[in-house]
Coordinates of all heavy atoms in Angstrom, one line a residue:
M1 N 46.3 142.8 103.8 CA 45.9 142.1 105.0 C 44.3 142.3 105.1 O 43.9 143.4 104.8 CB 46.6 142.7 106.2 CG 46.9 141.7 107.3 SD 47.8 142.4 108.6 CE 49.5 142.4 108.0
P2 N 43.6 141.2 105.5 CA 42.2 141.4 105.6 C 41.8 142.4 106.6 O 42.4 142.6 107.6 CB 41.7 140.0 106.1 CG 42.8 139.1 105.8 CD 44.1 139.9 105.8
R3 N 40.7 143.2 106.3 CA 40.3 144.3 107.2 C 39.8 143.7 108.5 O 40.1 144.2 109.6 CB 39.3 145.1 106.5 CG 39.8 146.1 105.5 CD 38.7 147.0 105.1 NE 38.9 148.3 104.8 CZ 39.7 149.2 105.3 NH1 40.5 148.9 106.2 NH2 39.7 150.5 104.8
D4 N 39.0 142.7 108.5 CA 38.4 142.1 109.7 C 39.1 140.8 109.9 O 38.7 139.8 109.3 CB 36.9 142.0 109.6 CG 36.2 143.3 109.3 OD1 36.4 144.2 110.1 OD2 35.4 143.4 108.4
A5 N 40.1 140.8 110.8 CA 40.8 139.6 111.0 C 41.2 139.4 112.5 O 41.3 140.3 113.2 CB 42.1 139.6 110.2
L6 N 41.5 138.2 112.8 CA 42.1 137.8 114.1 C 43.5 137.5 113.8 O 43.8 136.7 113.0 CB 41.4 136.6 114.7 CG 39.9 136.6 115.0 CD1 39.4 135.3 115.4 CD2 39.7 137.7 116.1
I7 N 44.4 138.3 114.4 CA 45.9 138.2 114.1 C 46.6 137.7 115.3 O 46.5 138.3 116.4 CB 46.4 139.5 113.6 CG1 45.6 140.0 112.4 CG2 47.9 139.3 113.2 CD1 45.9 141.4 111.9
S8 N 47.4 136.7 115.2 CA 48.3 136.2 116.2 C 49.7 136.1 115.7 O 50.0 135.9 114.5 CB 47.8 134.9 116.9 OG 47.9 133.9 115.9
H9 N 50.7 136.1 116.6 CA 52.1 136.0 116.2 C 52.8 135.0 117.2 O 52.6 135.1 118.4 CB 52.8 137.4 116.3 CG 54.3 137.3 116.2 ND1 55.2 137.6 117.1 CD2 55.1 136.9 115.1 CE1 56.4 137.4 116.8 NE2 56.4 137.0 115.5
Q10 N 53.5 134.1 116.6 CA 54.2 133.1 117.4 C 55.7 133.3 117.0 O 56.1 133.2 115.9 CB 53.8 131.7 117.1 CG 54.6 130.7 118.1 CD 53.9 129.3 118.1 OE1 53.0 129.0 117.4 NE2 54.5 128.5 119.0
Y11 N 56.5 133.5 118.1 CA 58.0 133.6 117.9 C 58.6 132.4 118.4 O 58.2 131.9 119.5 CB 58.5 134.9 118.6 CG 60.0 135.0 118.7 CD1 60.7 135.3 117.5 CD2 60.7 134.7 119.9 CE1 62.1 135.4 117.6 CE2 62.1 134.8 119.9 CZ 62.8 135.1 118.8 OH 64.1 135.2 118.8
F12 N 59.5 131.8 117.6 CA 60.0 130.5 118.1 C 61.3 130.6 118.9 O 61.5 129.9 119.8 CB 60.3 129.6 116.8 CG 59.1 129.2 116.1 CD1 58.7 129.9 115.0 CD2 58.2 128.2 116.7 CE1 57.5 129.5 114.3 CE2 57.0 127.9 116.0 CZ 56.7 128.6 114.9
G13 N 62.1 131.6 118.6 CA 63.3 131.9 119.4 C 64.4 130.9 119.2 O 64.2 129.8 118.7
P14 N 65.6 131.3 119.7 CA 66.8 130.4 119.5 C 66.8 129.2 120.4 O 67.5 128.2 120.2 CB 68.0 131.3 119.8 CG 67.4 132.4 120.7 CD 66.0 132.6 120.3
T15 N 66.0 129.2 121.5 CA 65.9 128.1 122.4 C 64.4 127.8 122.7 O 63.6 128.7 122.4 CB 66.6 128.3 123.8 OG1 65.9 129.4 124.4 CG2 68.1 128.7 123.6
L16 N 64.1 126.6 123.2 CA 62.7 126.3 123.5 C 62.0 127.3 124.4 O 60.9 127.6 124.3 CB 62.6 124.9 124.1 CG 62.9 123.8 123.0 CD1 62.9 122.4 123.7 CD2 61.9 123.8 121.9
G17 N 62.8 127.8 125.4 CA 62.2 128.7 126.4 C 62.1 130.1 126.0 O 61.4 130.9 126.6
A18 N 62.6 130.4 124.8 CA 62.6 131.8 124.4 C 61.3 132.2 123.5 O 61.1 133.3 123.3 CB 63.9 132.1 123.5
G19 N 60.6 131.2 123.1 CA 59.4 131.4 122.3 C 58.2 132.0 123.0 O 58.2 131.9 124.2
Y20 N 57.4 132.6 122.3 CA 56.1 133.2 122.9 C 55.0 133.2 121.9 O 55.3 133.2 120.7 CB 56.4 134.5 123.5 CG 56.8 135.6 122.6 CD1 55.9 136.3 121.8 CD2 58.2 135.9 122.4 CE1 56.4 137.3 120.9 CE2 58.6 136.9 121.6 CZ 57.7 137.6 120.8 OH 58.2 138.5 119.9
L21 N 53.8 133.4 122.3 CA 52.6 133.6 121.4 C 51.9 134.8 121.9 O 51.7 135.1 123.1 CB 51.7 132.4 121.6 CG 50.4 132.5 120.8 CD1 50.6 132.5 119.4 CD2 49.5 131.3 121.2
T22 N 51.6 135.7 120.9 CA 50.9 136.9 121.1 C 49.6 136.9 120.3 O 49.7 136.7 119.1 CB 51.7 138.2 120.7 OG1 52.9 138.2 121.4 CG2 51.0 139.4 121.1
T23 N 48.5 137.0 120.9 CA 47.2 137.0 120.2 C 46.6 138.4 120.2 O 46.9 139.2 121.0 CB 46.2 136.0 120.8 OG1 46.0 136.3 122.1 CG2 46.8 134.6 120.7
G24 N 45.6 138.6 119.4 CA 44.8 139.9 119.4 C 45.6 141.1 118.8 O 45.3 142.2 119.2
L25 N 46.5 140.9 117.9 CA 47.3 142.0 117.3 C 46.4 142.8 116.4 O 45.5 142.2 115.7 CB 48.5 141.5 116.5 CG 49.6 140.9 117.2 CD1 50.6 140.2 116.2 CD2 50.4 141.9 118.0
S26 N 46.5 144.1 116.4 CA 45.8 144.9 115.4 C 46.5 144.9 114.1 O 47.7 144.4 114.0 CB 45.8 146.4 116.0 OG 47.0 146.9 115.9
H27 N 45.9 145.4 113.0 CA 46.5 145.5 111.7 C 47.8 146.3 111.8 O 48.9 146.0 111.3 CB 45.6 146.0 110.7 CG 44.5 145.1 110.3 ND1 43.3 145.1 110.8 CD2 44.5 144.1 109.4 CE1 42.6 144.1 110.3 NE2 43.3 143.5 109.4
D28 N 47.8 147.4 112.5 CA 48.9 148.3 112.6 C 50.1 147.6 113.4 O 51.2 147.7 112.9 CB 48.6 149.6 113.4 CG 47.8 150.6 112.6 OD1 47.7 150.4 111.3 OD2 47.1 151.4 113.2
E29 N 49.8 146.9 114.4 CA 50.8 146.1 115.1 C 51.4 145.1 114.2 O 52.6 144.9 114.3 CB 50.2 145.5 116.4 CG 49.8 146.5 117.4 CD 49.0 145.9 118.6 OE1 48.2 145.0 118.3 OE2 49.2 146.4 119.7
A30 N 50.6 144.4 113.5 CA 51.1 143.3 112.5 C 52.0 143.9 111.5 O 53.1 143.4 111.2 CB 50.0 142.6 111.9
H31 N 51.6 145.1 110.9 CA 52.4 145.7 109.9 C 53.7 146.2 110.5 O 54.8 146.1 109.9 CB 51.7 146.9 109.3 CG 50.7 146.5 108.3 ND1 49.4 146.7 108.3 CD2 50.9 145.8 107.1 CE1 48.7 146.3 107.3 NE2 49.6 145.7 106.5
R32 N 53.7 146.8 111.7 CA 54.9 147.2 112.4 C 55.9 146.0 112.7 O 57.1 146.1 112.5 CB 54.6 148.0 113.7 CG 54.2 149.4 113.4 CD 54.3 150.2 114.7 NE 53.4 149.7 115.7 CZ 52.1 150.1 115.9 NH1 51.5 150.9 115.1 NH2 51.4 149.6 116.9
L33 N 55.3 144.9 113.1 CA 56.1 143.7 113.4 C 56.8 143.2 112.1 O 58.0 142.9 112.2 CB 55.2 142.7 114.0 CG 55.8 141.3 114.4 CD1 56.9 141.5 115.4 CD2 54.8 140.4 114.8
I34 N 56.0 143.1 111.0 CA 56.6 142.7 109.8 C 57.7 143.7 109.3 O 58.8 143.2 109.0 CB 55.5 142.5 108.7 CG1 54.6 141.4 109.1 CG2 56.2 142.3 107.3 CD1 53.4 141.2 108.2
G35 N 57.4 145.0 109.4 CA 58.4 146.0 109.0 C 59.7 145.9 109.9 O 60.8 146.0 109.3
A36 N 59.5 145.8 111.1 CA 60.7 145.7 112.0 C 61.5 144.5 111.7 O 62.8 144.5 111.7 CB 60.2 145.7 113.5
N37 N 60.9 143.4 111.4 CA 61.7 142.2 111.0 C 62.3 142.3 109.7 O 63.5 141.8 109.5 CB 60.7 141.0 111.1 CG 60.5 140.4 112.5 OD1 61.4 139.8 113.0 ND2 59.4 140.8 113.0
V38 N 61.7 143.0 108.7 CA 62.4 143.3 107.5 C 63.7 144.1 107.7 O 64.7 143.8 107.1 CB 61.5 144.0 106.5 CG1 62.2 144.5 105.2 CG2 60.4 143.0 106.0
L39 N 63.6 145.2 108.5 CA 64.7 146.0 108.8 C 65.8 145.2 109.5 O 67.0 145.5 109.4 CB 64.3 147.2 109.7 CG 63.5 148.2 108.9 CD1 63.0 149.3 109.9 CD2 64.3 148.9 107.8
A40 N 65.4 144.2 110.3 CA 66.4 143.4 111.0 C 67.0 142.3 110.1 O 67.8 141.5 110.6 CB 65.7 142.8 112.2
G41 N 66.6 142.2 108.9 CA 67.1 141.3 108.0 C 66.3 140.0 107.7 O 66.8 139.1 107.0
F42 N 65.1 139.9 108.2 CA 64.3 138.8 108.0 C 63.5 139.0 106.7 O 63.1 140.1 106.4 CB 63.3 138.5 109.2 CG 64.1 138.1 110.4 CD1 64.6 139.0 111.3 CD2 64.2 136.7 110.7 CE1 65.2 138.6 112.4 CE2 64.9 136.3 111.8 CZ 65.4 137.2 112.7
A43 N 63.1 137.9 106.1 CA 62.4 137.9 104.9 C 61.0 137.4 105.1 O 60.8 136.2 105.4 CB 63.0 137.1 103.7
P44 N 59.9 138.3 105.0 CA 58.6 137.7 105.2 C 58.1 137.1 103.9 O 58.3 137.6 102.8 CB 57.8 139.0 105.5 CG 58.5 140.1 104.8 CD 59.9 139.7 104.8
V45 N 57.4 136.0 104.1 CA 56.8 135.2 103.0 C 55.3 134.9 103.4 O 55.1 134.3 104.4 CB 57.6 133.9 102.7 CG1 57.0 133.1 101.6 CG2 59.0 134.2 102.5
A46 N 54.4 135.4 102.5 CA 53.0 135.2 102.8 C 52.5 133.9 102.1 O 52.8 133.7 100.9 CB 52.2 136.4 102.4
Y47 N 51.8 133.1 102.8 CA 51.1 131.9 102.2 C 49.6 132.1 102.3 O 49.1 132.3 103.4 CB 51.6 130.7 103.0 CG 53.1 130.4 102.9 CD1 53.9 130.9 104.0 CD2 53.7 129.7 101.9 CE1 55.2 130.6 103.9 CE2 55.0 129.5 101.9 CZ 55.8 129.9 102.9 OH 57.2 129.7 102.8
T48 N 48.9 131.9 101.3 CA 47.4 131.9 101.3 C 46.9 130.6 100.6 O 45.6 130.4 100.7 CB 46.9 133.1 100.5 OG1 47.4 133.1 99.1 CG2 47.3 134.4 101.1
R49 N 47.7 129.8 100.0 CA 47.3 128.6 99.3 C 48.0 127.4 99.8 O 49.2 127.5 100.2 CB 47.4 128.8 97.8 CG 46.8 130.0 97.3 CD 45.7 129.7 96.4 NE 44.8 130.9 96.0 CZ 43.6 130.8 96.1 NH1 42.9 129.8 96.6 NH2 42.9 131.9 95.8
T50 N 47.5 126.3 99.7 CA 48.1 125.0 100.0 C 48.9 124.6 98.7 O 48.8 125.2 97.7 CB 47.0 123.9 100.2 OG1 46.3 123.6 99.0 CG2 46.1 124.2 101.3
P51 N 49.8 123.6 98.9 CA 50.5 123.1 97.7 C 49.6 122.7 96.5 O 50.0 122.8 95.4 CB 51.4 122.0 98.2 CG 51.5 122.2 99.7 CD 50.2 122.9 100.1
A52 N 48.4 122.3 96.8 CA 47.5 121.9 95.7 C 46.8 123.1 95.2 O 46.0 122.9 94.2 CB 46.4 120.9 96.3
G53 N 47.0 124.3 95.7 CA 46.3 125.5 95.1 C 45.1 125.9 95.8 O 44.4 126.9 95.4
D54 N 44.6 125.2 96.8 CA 43.4 125.6 97.6 C 43.7 126.7 98.6 O 44.8 126.8 99.1 CB 42.9 124.3 98.3 CG 42.5 123.2 97.4 OD1 42.1 123.5 96.3 OD2 42.8 122.1 97.8
Q55 N 42.7 127.5 98.9 CA 42.8 128.5 99.9 C 43.1 127.9 101.2 O 42.5 126.9 101.6 CB 41.5 129.4 100.0 CG 41.4 130.3 101.2 CD 42.3 131.5 101.1 OE1 42.3 132.1 100.0 NE2 43.0 131.8 102.2
L56 N 44.1 128.4 101.9 CA 44.4 127.9 103.4 C 43.1 128.3 104.2 O 42.5 129.4 104.0 CB 45.6 128.7 104.0 CG 47.0 128.2 103.5 CD1 48.0 129.1 104.1 CD2 47.2 126.8 103.9
R57 N 42.8 127.5 105.1 CA 41.6 127.7 105.9 C 41.9 127.2 107.3 O 42.7 126.3 107.5 CB 40.4 126.9 105.3 CG 40.0 127.5 104.0 CD 38.6 127.1 103.6 NE 38.2 127.7 102.3 CZ 37.7 129.0 102.2 NH1 37.5 129.7 103.3 NH2 37.4 129.5 101.0
T58 N 41.2 127.8 108.3 CA 41.3 127.3 109.7 C 40.4 126.0 109.7 O 39.7 125.6 108.8 CB 40.7 128.3 110.6 OG1 39.3 128.6 110.3 CG2 41.5 129.6 110.6
R59 N 40.5 125.4 110.9 CA 39.7 124.1 111.1 C 38.2 124.3 110.9 O 37.5 123.4 110.5 CB 40.0 123.5 112.4 CG 41.4 122.9 112.5 CD 41.6 122.3 113.8 NE 43.0 121.9 113.9 CZ 43.6 121.1 114.7 NH1 42.8 120.5 115.6 NH2 44.8 120.8 114.7
D60 N 37.7 125.6 111.3 CA 36.3 125.9 111.1 C 36.0 126.5 109.8 O 34.9 127.0 109.6 CB 35.8 126.7 112.3 CG 36.5 128.0 112.4 OD1 37.4 128.3 111.6 OD2 36.1 128.8 113.3
G61 N 36.9 126.5 108.8 CA 36.6 126.9 107.4 C 36.9 128.4 107.1 O 36.6 128.7 106.0
R62 N 37.4 129.2 108.0 CA 37.6 130.6 107.7 C 38.9 130.8 106.9 O 39.9 130.0 107.2 CB 37.7 131.4 109.0 CG 36.3 131.5 109.7 CD 36.4 132.4 110.8 NE 37.1 131.7 111.9 CZ 37.2 132.2 113.1 NH1 36.8 133.4 113.4 NH2 37.9 131.6 114.0
P63 N 39.0 131.6 105.9 CA 40.2 131.9 105.2 C 41.3 132.3 106.1 O 41.2 133.1 107.0 CB 39.8 133.0 104.2 CG 38.3 132.9 104.1 CD 37.9 132.5 105.5
L64 N 42.6 131.8 105.8 CA 43.7 132.0 106.6 C 44.9 132.4 105.7 O 45.1 132.0 104.7 CB 44.1 130.7 107.3 CG 45.4 130.6 108.1 CD1 45.3 131.4 109.3 CD2 45.7 129.1 108.5
T65 N 45.6 133.4 106.3 CA 46.9 133.8 105.7 C 47.9 133.6 106.7 O 47.8 134.0 107.9 CB 46.8 135.4 105.2 OG1 45.8 135.5 104.3 CG2 48.2 135.8 104.6
V66 N 49.1 133.0 106.3 CA 50.2 132.8 107.2 C 51.4 133.6 106.6 O 51.8 133.5 105.5 CB 50.6 131.3 107.3 CG1 51.8 131.1 108.1 CG2 49.4 130.5 107.9
V67 N 52.0 134.5 107.5 CA 53.2 135.2 107.1 C 54.3 134.6 107.9 O 54.3 134.7 109.2 CB 53.0 136.7 107.4 CG1 54.3 137.4 107.0 CG2 51.9 137.3 106.6
S68 N 55.3 134.0 107.3 CA 56.5 133.4 107.9 C 57.6 134.4 107.8 O 57.8 135.1 106.8 CB 56.9 132.1 107.3 OG 55.8 131.2 107.4
L69 N 58.4 134.5 108.9 CA 59.5 135.4 109.0 C 60.8 134.6 109.0 O 61.0 133.9 110.0 CB 59.5 136.3 110.2 CG 58.2 137.2 110.3 CD1 58.0 137.8 111.7 CD2 58.2 138.3 109.2
Y70 N 61.6 134.6 108.0 CA 62.7 133.8 107.8 C 64.0 134.7 107.9 O 64.1 135.7 107.3 CB 62.8 133.1 106.4 CG 61.8 132.1 106.2 CD1 60.6 132.4 105.5 CD2 62.0 130.8 106.6 CE1 59.6 131.4 105.3 CE2 61.0 129.8 106.4 CZ 59.9 130.2 105.7 OH 58.9 129.2 105.5
G71 N 65.0 134.2 108.7 CA 66.3 134.8 108.8 C 67.2 133.7 108.4 O 67.1 133.1 107.4
S72 N 68.1 133.3 109.3 CA 68.9 132.1 109.1 C 68.1 130.8 109.3 O 68.5 129.8 108.8 CB 70.1 132.1 110.0 OG 69.7 132.1 111.3
S73 N 67.0 131.0 109.9 CA 66.0 129.9 110.1 C 64.6 130.5 110.3 O 64.5 131.7 110.3 CB 66.4 129.0 111.3 OG 66.3 129.8 112.4
L74 N 63.6 129.7 110.3 CA 62.2 130.3 110.6 C 62.2 130.8 112.0 O 62.5 130.0 113.0 CB 61.2 129.1 110.5 CG 59.8 129.5 110.8 CD1 59.3 130.6 109.8 CD2 58.9 128.3 110.7
M75 N 61.9 132.0 112.3 CA 61.9 132.6 113.6 C 60.5 133.0 114.1 O 60.2 133.0 115.3 CB 62.7 133.8 113.6 CG 64.2 133.5 113.4 SD 64.9 132.4 114.6 CE 65.1 133.4 116.1
G76 N 59.6 133.2 113.1 CA 58.2 133.6 113.6 C 57.2 133.5 112.5 O 57.5 133.3 111.3
V77 N 55.9 133.4 113.0 CA 54.8 133.2 112.1 C 53.7 134.0 112.5 O 53.4 134.1 113.7 CB 54.4 131.7 112.1 CG1 53.1 131.5 111.3 CG2 55.4 130.8 111.5
L78 N 53.1 134.8 111.6 CA 51.9 135.5 111.9 C 50.7 134.8 111.3 O 50.8 134.4 110.1 CB 51.9 136.9 111.4 CG 52.7 138.0 112.2 CD1 54.0 138.2 111.5 CD2 51.9 139.3 112.2
E79 N 49.7 134.5 112.0 CA 48.4 133.9 111.5 C 47.4 134.9 111.4 O 47.0 135.6 112.4 CB 48.0 132.7 112.4 CG 48.9 131.6 112.4 CD 48.5 130.5 113.3 OE1 47.6 130.8 114.2 OE2 48.9 129.4 113.1
I80 N 46.8 135.2 110.2 CA 45.7 136.1 110.0 C 44.5 135.4 109.6 O 44.5 134.8 108.5 CB 46.2 137.2 108.9 CG1 47.6 137.8 109.4 CG2 45.1 138.2 108.7 CD1 48.3 138.4 108.2
V81 N 43.5 135.4 110.4 CA 42.3 134.7 110.2 C 41.2 135.7 109.8 O 40.9 136.6 110.6 CB 41.8 133.8 111.4 CG1 40.5 133.1 111.1 CG2 42.9 132.8 111.8
Q82 N 40.6 135.5 108.7 CA 39.4 136.4 108.3 C 38.2 136.0 109.1 O 37.9 134.9 109.3 CB 39.2 136.3 106.8 CG 40.3 136.9 106.0 CD 40.0 136.8 104.5 OE1 38.8 137.0 104.1 NE2 41.0 136.6 103.7
V83 N 37.5 137.1 109.7 CA 36.3 136.8 110.4 C 35.1 137.4 109.7 O 35.2 138.1 108.8 CB 36.5 137.4 111.8 CG1 37.5 136.7 112.6 CG2 36.8 138.9 111.8

């Protein structure tokens, strides 16, 4: 995980009203969140590249890493933006 990053987590939930967005996570909080989800049976998958092989980037050009948490369906996404 990048040392200097802006980290946010979006949980989708089983219903529309159950989702939430958390911004400003620390690296430790992000690692704990990923670890807790692994223990709960979710599989984290990190994406750093587009299907064409280019680095994922934010709209303003900063490098982006997306960690998706999959269970029986996609349940959450962490966005890690390098600053």
Side-chain angles (χ1 to χ4, degrees):
M1 216 175 281
R3 282 187 145 328
D4 299 309
L6 299 173
I7 305 172
S8 62
H9 172 244
Q10 183 165 6
Y11 172 71
F12 296 102
T15 64
L16 289 176
Y20 61 83
L21 174 66
T22 304
T23 59
L25 291 171
S26 70
H27 287 97
D28 287 342
E29 291 168 324
H31 281 118
R32 280 194 300 271
L33 179 64
I34 292 168
N37 278 282
V38 168
L39 289 175
F42 291 88
V45 179
Y47 299 95
T48 58
R49 304 244 170 233
T50 67
D54 299 324
Q55 168 71 47
L56 285 175
R57 297 198 176 273
T58 62
R59 290 182 187 196
D60 60 357
R62 293 185 286 183
L64 172 69
T65 299
V66 175
V67 178
S68 298
L69 301 168
Y70 292 95
S72 58
S73 62
L74 176 65
M75 294 302 285
V77 172
L78 281 100
E79 294 180 337
I80 304 158
V81 179
Q82 294 182 31
V83 292

